[in-house]
Structure formats: C-alpha cells, structure tokens
C-alpha cells in the first residue's frame, strides 16, 4: 500500500476536536489573540479541565491556585498553551489500536518531547516547538496501525514500536516509514511546514540540509528509548548518536551528567497523556 492509498483508508485519519484544529491553524496566524484562544478553550470542558490541571501541576511550580482558563493561558504563555492543546488533542485522537500499547507509546513520546524541550533550551532554540514536534514524531506509527493493521503487526514482529531498526524495516516493507507518514499527517492537519519537515528529517538528520530541530528530535528519541529499555552505561555509550550530537555542540555527558533524570523533567506532565 503506497502512502496515498494509506491515507485513503477511512480508519487512517483520526478525528481531532474542532478547538484543537483551530488552535493548530492559529500557529499560522500571527494576529490571533491570547483572549481568542482562551475563549475557545473555555468552551471545551475536557481541554479546559486539562489545562487548569496542568497549570496547577508540580511541573509549573505556581505559588497560587489558577482558577480560570484565562489565568492559565496568561500564566503558561501562548506557545505553551498551544503546545498543550495540540498535544492533548493528539493523545486523545487514537482511542484503541490492535497490537499497540498506547500507554507505552505516549509515555515514550512524552519522554521524547521532554528531552527535546530541554535540549532546545540548551542550544537556544524554541523549546515549545521542540516539545510539540517531539511528542508528534512517531504519530505515523499510529496512522499505519489504524490504516493497515495486519501489515503493521507483521512489522511489529520484526521490530517493535520502540526498536531503533523499525524505520528501516518499514522502508524495506512499504517504501516509506512512519516519519514519512507523520510528516504527511502534519501537512493534512495544516500544521506549519516546519513541523512536517522536522518529522520527515529526524531519522537521518545529517542527510540533506541540516535541521537543528530534526537533530534534537533524533537525540531525544535515542534518550527516550534508552529510558524505556533501561540501557546500561555501556549501552548508552555504544548507541549514542555522537555525530548528530556534535553538530549541536553536545556530548554524551550532556545526557548523563547535565540533563536531569526524566522523572524529574516530566514531573506533573503525565496528565497531558492521561
């Protein structure tokens, strides 16, 4: 099944809430106001409850209770709120997929997002953008499982969802991989072009024109996989994408010494994918 045929499958494209679609479109609209976004969010009970829970979570260390969506938006900031809305919409759009452990998938995706955000701050890039694209980087896997469950399950047997060989196995089987699918999904959902570019480029960020965000996501996926698979110090060293890290001025020590543990980085963020 080629990429176009994949997206023709009725099960391929999950529906996302209208407010999430509007927030995604606001990425391309510099004139959109913070009040407008707050008003839209307040009309969606599930999203507004999540945003309030997050605004009051330990992750943000707020000294007073945040009681309204307006306050939450002002306190968290525009980019962060947009990031949280899109992330929540993504996590809620795929309810059940045969053969996919969605809890594991979103835990790994959130870990990737948290590492990407931290790395982006280290190299002085937009950390909210890095977080969102990190969270979305593997969403193509879910689309593939939804649109062609039998073929995706065959790939699972050779290389599971968190296996570093997964992309290669998909390319050999279908002629494209979950990064290509995720990039196409981002285009169809009218994300800004850069989202699709980074998702498409993250598996091999040193090929073609270098994109620092693709390199960040590449490194973040390595660190999130290491967390999930409990890599030893030797395994961390032997699998470390040193060339990619060097392009950003980072070393293995950045991850093993400078970066806080993932549990600490993500404290209070689990609500995002709950």
């Amino acid at each position: 099944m080629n990429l176009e045929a994949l997206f023709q499958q009725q099960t391929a494209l999950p529906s996302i809430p209208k407010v999430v679609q509007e927030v995604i479109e606001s990425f391309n609209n510099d004139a959109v106001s913070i009040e407008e976004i707050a008003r839209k969010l307040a009309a969606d009970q599930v999203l507004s409850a999540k945003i309030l829970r997050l605004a009051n979570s330990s992750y943000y260390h707020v000294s007073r209770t945040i009681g309204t969506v307006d306050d939450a938006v002002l306190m968290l900031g525009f980019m962060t709120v947009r990031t949280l809305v899109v992330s929540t919409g993504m996590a809620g759009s795929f309810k059940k997929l045969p053969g996919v452990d969605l809890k594991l998938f979103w835990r790994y995706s959130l870990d990737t997002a948290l590492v990407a955000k931290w790395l982006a701050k280290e190299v002085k890039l937009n950390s909210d953008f890095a977080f969102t694209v990190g969270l979305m980087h593997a969403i193509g896997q879910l689309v593939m499982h939804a649109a062609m469950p039998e073929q995706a399950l065959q790939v699972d047997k050779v290389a599971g969802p968190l296996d570093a060989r997964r992309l290669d196995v998909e390319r050999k089987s279908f002629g494209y991989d979950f990064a290509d699918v995720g990039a196409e999904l981002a285009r169809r959902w009218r994300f800004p072009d850069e989202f699709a570019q980074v998702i498409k480029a993250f598996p091999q960020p040193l090929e073609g024109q270098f994109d620092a965000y693709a390199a960040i996501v590449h490194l973040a996926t390595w660190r999130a996989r290491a967390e999930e698979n409990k890599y030893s110090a030797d395994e961390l060293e032997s699998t470390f994408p040193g060339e990619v890290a060097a392009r950003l001025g980072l070393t293995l020590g950045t991850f093993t010494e400078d970066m806080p543990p993932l549990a600490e980085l993500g404290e209070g963020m689990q609500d995002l994918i709950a």
Side-chain angles (χ1 to χ4, degrees):
M1 188 185 295
N2 66 29
L3 201 53
E4 187 54 42
L6 178 85
F7 277 95
Q8 296 307 321
Q9 303 298 306
Q10 282 189 322
T11 50
L13 278 174
S15 58
I16 50 175
K18 186 169 182 284
V19 68
V20 175
Q21 184 65 57
E22 287 172 352
V23 170
I24 288 172
E25 285 170 14
S26 81
F27 276 114
N28 295 313
N29 178 8
D30 293 334
V32 74
S33 71
I34 209 158
E35 292 82 10
E36 202 180 320
I37 293 287
R39 198 169 57 246
K40 284 175 176 170
L41 294 178
D44 187 300
Q45 286 182 320
V46 175
L47 273 172
S48 51
K50 274 206 167 184
I51 288 206
L52 284 171
R53 205 159 75 225
L54 278 160
N56 288 296
S57 75
S58 53
Y59 188 77
Y60 289 104
H61 310 291
V62 187
S63 55
R64 64 186 177 86
T65 301
I66 303 290
T68 68
V69 173
D70 280 34
D71 280 351
V73 172
L74 286 169
M75 191 277 290
L76 294 169
F78 203 17
M79 268 306 288
T80 298
V81 166
R82 292 204 295 194
T83 300
L84 296 180
V85 172
V86 173
S87 308
T88 308
M90 298 294 166
S93 58
F94 291 92
K95 297 296 184 207
K96 250 188 183 175
L97 286 173
V100 180
D101 181 342
L102 283 170
K103 203 169 178 183
L104 168 66
F105 177 86
W106 286 115
R107 186 172 67 227
Y108 156 75
S109 297
L110 180 59
D111 282 347
T112 300
L114 291 163
V115 174
K117 182 172 185 165
W118 187 87
L119 290 173
K121 279 184 182 164
E122 285 294 291
V123 297
K124 308 215 168 11
L125 288 171
N126 184 324
S127 60
D128 279 315
F129 177 79
F131 180 94
T132 311
V133 81
L135 194 82
M136 263 193 76
H137 82 280
I139 199 149
Q141 280 193 21
L142 300 188
V143 175
M144 291 168 89
H145 274 93
M148 47 180 192
E150 285 174 24
Q151 293 99 312
L153 287 168
Q154 289 304 313
V155 173
D156 289 343
K157 287 175 187 169
V158 182
L162 304 193
D163 193 314
R165 299 167 303 158
R166 174 100 191 178
L167 291 147
D168 287 336
V169 174
E170 288 177 348
R171 273 193 295 271
K172 285 189 181 108
S173 303
F174 310 119
Y176 54 86
D177 57 41
F178 71 77
D180 297 319
V181 176
E184 180 60 24
L185 181 67
R187 276 192 285 272
R188 287 173 186 248
W189 270 349
R190 300 205 291 281
F191 271 73
D193 291 344
E194 200 178 358
F195 272 84
Q197 287 159 16
V198 174
I199 291 171
K200 193 172 176 64
F202 93 84
Q204 293 163 318
L206 300 180
E207 283 190 7
Q209 192 174 353
F210 180 72
D211 184 305
Y213 287 106
I216 282 171
V217 174
H218 184 87
L219 290 164
T221 60
W222 165 78
R223 181 64 189 85
R225 261 199 317 276
E227 183 75 9
E228 205 57 58
N229 296 322
K230 303 285 177 269
Y231 282 7
S232 65
D234 285 347
E235 285 171 319
L236 285 172
E237 198 170 342
S238 65
T239 59
F240 181 60
E243 273 188 70
V244 178
R247 286 295 296 268
L248 294 171
L250 306 172
T251 65
L252 181 58
T254 307
F255 295 86
T256 56
E257 293 157 34
D258 304 341
M259 194 176 86
L262 258 71
E264 197 179 304
L265 267 186
E267 193 184 355
M269 286 298 269
Q270 284 69 25
D271 277 348
L272 188 62
I273 53 171

